[in-house]
Each structure stands twice: as structure tokens, then as C-alpha cells.
Amino acid sequence: MMEPVKRKYRLGLLGFLNALPLVHRLRDREEVEAVWDTPRPLTEMLKRGELDAAITSSYAYAAKLRSVISDLCIACEGRVVTVMLYANCTLDEIQTVEEDPASLTSNALTRIIFDERKQRVHFTPTLNYSTPLPANTARVLIGDANFHPPMPYEQVFDLAAVIWELYRLPCVFALWQGKAGVDGKLVKLIENAFAEVEENWDSLYAFAEKEWDVPPPAIRDYFQNVLHYRLTDKDREFLDFFRKKVHDLGLVW
């Protein structure tokens, strides 16, 4: 008698270090068809219905594109380390911001910050991450490149630290999101994968130290002291705030 074929779930996964605890134990599951990309393309695929679920931009939640299917997330309070704004001048002197084309949430947060500061700034996409920064220009950079910034700079601002200073709120950068009424077996698969990581963080650290060019103490600090992976009440407060700001500032596309 033939074994029934297990359904494959098409999941959007982030390859950044910050997402590793959420995706590490999913990468080799036979039930998973992994689609690896950055937040913006994954959000677009999710919007088009090409994925069953994705760990992707909080912007998708704020813009009401998809439903949150788990309280697993990528969040921080006070600093994030891998979502930064680089410049050769002070915040007050910034006139142009080059946004990261891979990002949605971080670009939106940058616009929220300058709106709160009542500072008129021109926003444009980054064309080349490694080119020197023009005068009075800042550049948003998300992801692992922040461990080894590709451009020279004099000032760097951690976006989560700026949000904390302005609003005393944490930041939620990504969430597990999918269609409303998503298969309960899929949610269980996602939860179990993270539970396996929680049972053996040392195994995750060893994998990260092998695959990422980041000093081991920095990896452990990042996971132990910077990030958290379950939504808190304050995180939910941030998401409500973020959703309102995204709509108030006309950032929905």
C-alpha cells in the first residue's frame, strides 16, 4: 500500500541571521518548499497568493495584506544592530535618505522618524550600497551587511534605538503571515520548528558561527540580548502604532 503523499507548504523564508531561529529547522523538512528571498519580494509574493505563509515584513500586517498566523516574530527593544541608518552628518543635517530596496518595514520606520522630527527629507532608492555617501545624505541598510558595512561613514543610527527614544516602543520587523484560516498543521509545523531551536540554542550558535562571518560573542549577544521571537503586549502596541502611521502617512501600496 502506497504511503499518502504529504502536502508541501510553500513557505517564504528570510536568509538573514536575525531570522535563523525561525527558519533553521524548516530548511530540510520534506513538507516544506522553501522560497528564500528578502522582505520586499516575499511580501509581494504573499500579496499575490503565491505562498502559503512567510516570515516577512511587518509592513504586510500594517498594510492589511495578510493575517498573522503565529505570535512568532523578529522583534527587539532599544537596539537591533542590523537595521541601521548611515550618514556623514548628524540626524539634523540629513536632507536625503537612500532607502534599502530590499526593505519595506525599515523604510517606513525611517519615514515615520523624520515625520516625527518634522524634518523635510527627500527619499530615493539606494542604487549601490558600497558607494560613498554624498553630503547630507543617509542610507538605510538592513540585514547582515551591517556587521561589515560596505560604505565609509561617520555617523550610524540604529533605527530601533531611535524609535525607542521617540516613542518608548519596541520594533517588530517581521512576522509569520499567511492567508486567513491557514491550515492548522502548517502553524504546528512552524511552532515545532522553533521549539526544536529553543531546546538546543548551542546547535544554532554553532551553525551560525560556521555560516556567518560574525564573531561568536556578537552572535550570542545578538540572539540572547538583542532579539526576541515571541510577540509581547508592547510588541502588539507597536504593531497598532505602526499600522496607524503607515496609513496616516500614505505609505500603503
Side-chain angles (χ1 to χ4, degrees):
M1 185 175 177
M2 292 182 63
E3 290 286 330
V5 177
K6 287 186 177 180
R7 183 191 166 184
K8 271 192 176 287
Y9 296 105
R10 187 171 166 83
L11 301 185
L13 305 180
L14 295 169
F16 295 142
L17 182 61
N18 65 2
L20 185 60
L22 300 180
V23 305
H24 184 51
R25 301 299 295 174
L26 289 170
R27 61 178 64 237
D28 298 322
R29 296 289 175 98
E30 61 178 339
E31 311 98 303
V32 173
E33 179 187 348
V35 179
W36 297 91
D37 218 318
T38 54
R40 182 183 287 268
L42 288 180
T43 298
E44 291 171 348
M45 283 186 269
L46 199 62
K47 184 179 179 182
R48 293 194 298 265
E50 296 171 4
L51 302 170
D52 291 299
I55 176 70
T56 192
S57 177
S58 297
Y59 174 89
Y61 168 84
K64 302 182 181 180
L65 302 180
R66 281 294 178 264
S67 299
V68 175
I69 63 172
S70 166
D71 67 358
L72 289 172
C73 65
I74 301 172
C76 64
E77 185 173 295
R79 63 180 176 129
V80 66
V81 179
T82 49
V83 180
M84 309 294 265
L85 185 68
Y86 294 90
N88 288 329
C89 59
T90 66
L91 272 178
D92 289 339
E93 295 170 322
I94 292 170
Q95 298 174 6
T96 299
V97 170
E98 295 181 0
E99 296 180 308
D100 192 326
S103 171
L104 287 168
T105 298
S106 301
N107 291 339
L109 285 174
T110 304
R111 291 179 180 239
I112 289 167
I113 286 167
F114 283 102
D115 178 75
E116 180 68 25
R117 291 170 55 84
K118 296 179 171 51
Q119 186 170 342
R120 185 171 295 180
V121 170
H122 172 67
F123 294 92
T124 186
T126 296
L127 299 179
N128 187 327
Y129 294 106
S130 61
T131 56
L133 288 159
N136 302 104
T137 298
R139 183 173 297 154
V140 179
L141 183 64
I142 70 168
D144 303 334
N146 286 285
F147 289 109
H148 305 285
M151 84 293 282
Y153 63 92
E154 294 179 9
Q155 302 273 353
V156 60
F157 309 96
D158 185 311
L159 287 192
V162 179
I163 289 293
W164 178 258
E165 182 180 340
L166 288 173
Y167 302 107
R168 284 297 184 264
L169 285 173
C171 287
V172 180
F173 287 97
L175 300 153
W176 267 114
Q177 297 170 86
K179 302 172 185 176
V182 71
D183 186 346
K185 291 180 180 178
L186 171 55
V187 177
K188 187 175 181 181
L189 175 68
I190 289 166
E191 291 282 348
N192 287 346
F194 183 67
E196 290 176 17
V197 168
E198 288 189 301
E199 290 172 2
N200 191 355
W201 279 99
D202 285 340
S203 175
L204 183 92
Y205 299 151
F207 178 84
E209 289 164 13
K210 179 182 176 183
E211 298 294 327
W212 271 266
D213 182 20
V214 179
I219 288 175
R220 289 175 181 261
D221 176 62
Y222 192 51
F223 289 130
Q224 293 174 2
N225 302 317
V226 177
L227 301 177
H228 60 268
Y229 291 93
R230 288 279 182 193
L231 286 174
T232 66
D233 289 343
K234 289 291 287 184
D235 291 335
R236 296 180 194 280
E237 185 180 339
F238 165 82
L239 288 172
D240 290 341
F241 156 85
F242 186 51
R243 172 175 278 180
K244 184 176 187 304
K245 285 289 188 181
V246 163
H247 287 270
D248 287 350
L249 296 179
L251 303 180
V252 179
W253 50 265

